[in-house]
């Protein structure tokens, strides 16, 4: 069985205390999920390599950079130098094969992401080449949006492709993952769970929120 992993998205954390936010989840987190938005690929502008470098200095948890940028080829090297362990590029940005090769050359993990309206067929050529497929369950750009259940068949389709080809590729879901929706996502085949507001704005401690999510998801995958 593939390992369940939790990837807290610091987009929903207090930006005045990002180091504390990272430290508050590091016992349970498999990844720190850093949403890199350039104000062009998506309207929001978030953080750059300097922030990633500062976070990498305060934690040993691997950092995954979710690159929601128009020109990942201009930026990936900076994020690797900053300490990213894995970079995930959007298939909609293009030059995907080149980006995968660049990431491998630079010695990091690599993922390919697809937005809700992008069909599974767009990422199939890259399935054998990546560590993770990130399936957006909201439109990229903002935290705190509502999970889109219409994406579930796509998660199932990609999961079946991965199983049929016996590939060692994780399926990561990103957007609107919380206590209720995690069940649907894991049932469909996801094993890496990105969660922002469900962890950092849940009204309980981040640790308690993660334990909650893992418990619900874990019971499901064991059952
Ligand atoms: C959205 C980002 C997500 C976001 C998830 O574009 O990619 O990682 O932070 O936030 P929640 O969990 O609040 O939907
Ligand atoms: Zn993300």
């Amino acid at each position: 069985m593939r390992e369940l992993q939790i990837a807290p998205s610091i987009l929903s954390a207090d930006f005045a205390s990002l180091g504390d936010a990272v430290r508050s989840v590091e016992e349970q987190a498999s990844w720190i999920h850093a949403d890199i938005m350039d104000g062009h690929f998506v309207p929001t502008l978030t953080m750059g390599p300097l922030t990633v470098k500062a976070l990498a200095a305060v934690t040993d948890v691997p950092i995954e950079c979710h690159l929601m940028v128009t020109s990942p080829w201009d930026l990936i090297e900076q994020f690797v130098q900053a300490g990213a362990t894995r970079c995930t590029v959007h298939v909609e940005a293009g030059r995907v094969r080149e980006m995968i090769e660049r990431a491998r050359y630079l010695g990091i993990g690599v993922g390919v992401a697809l937005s809700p309206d992008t069909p599974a067929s767009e990422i199939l050529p890259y399935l054998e080449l990546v560590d993770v497929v990130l399936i957006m369950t909201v439109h990229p750009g903002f935290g705190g949006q509502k999970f889109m259940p219409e994406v579930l068949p796509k998660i199932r389709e990609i999961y079946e492709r991965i199983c049929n080809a016996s590939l060692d590729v994780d399926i990561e879901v990103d957007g609107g993952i919380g206590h209720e929706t995690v069940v649907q996502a894991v049932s469909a085949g996801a094993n890496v769970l990105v969660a922002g507001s469900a962890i950092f704005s849940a009204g309980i401690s981040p640790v308690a929120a993660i334990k909650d999510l893992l418990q619900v998801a874990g019971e499901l995958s064991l059952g």
Side-chain angles (χ1 to χ4, degrees), residues 35 53 71 74 95 111 146 150 155-157 178 187 192:
D35 285 305
K53 188 175 179 188
S71 313
D74 289 333
R95 293 168 62 172
K146 205 169 164 299
E150 56 268 42
I155 300 176
R156 268 188 215 104
E157 181 182 349
S187 303
V192 184

Side-chain angles (χ1 to χ4, degrees), residues 97-143:
R97 196 170 289 270
E98 174 194 337
M99 292 310 300
I100 294 169
E101 285 167 6
R102 289 266 290 275
R104 295 302 186 202
Y105 175 76
L106 294 165
I108 58 160
V110 65
V112 63
L114 66 175
S115 294
D117 295 339
T118 305
S121 55
E122 293 288 313
I123 56 106
L124 297 182
Y126 314 112
L127 260 193
E128 291 182 11
L129 308 174
V130 295
D131 301 306
V132 63
V133 176
L134 185 155
I135 303 173
M136 298 277 333
T137 39
V138 297
H139 291 291
F142 308 94

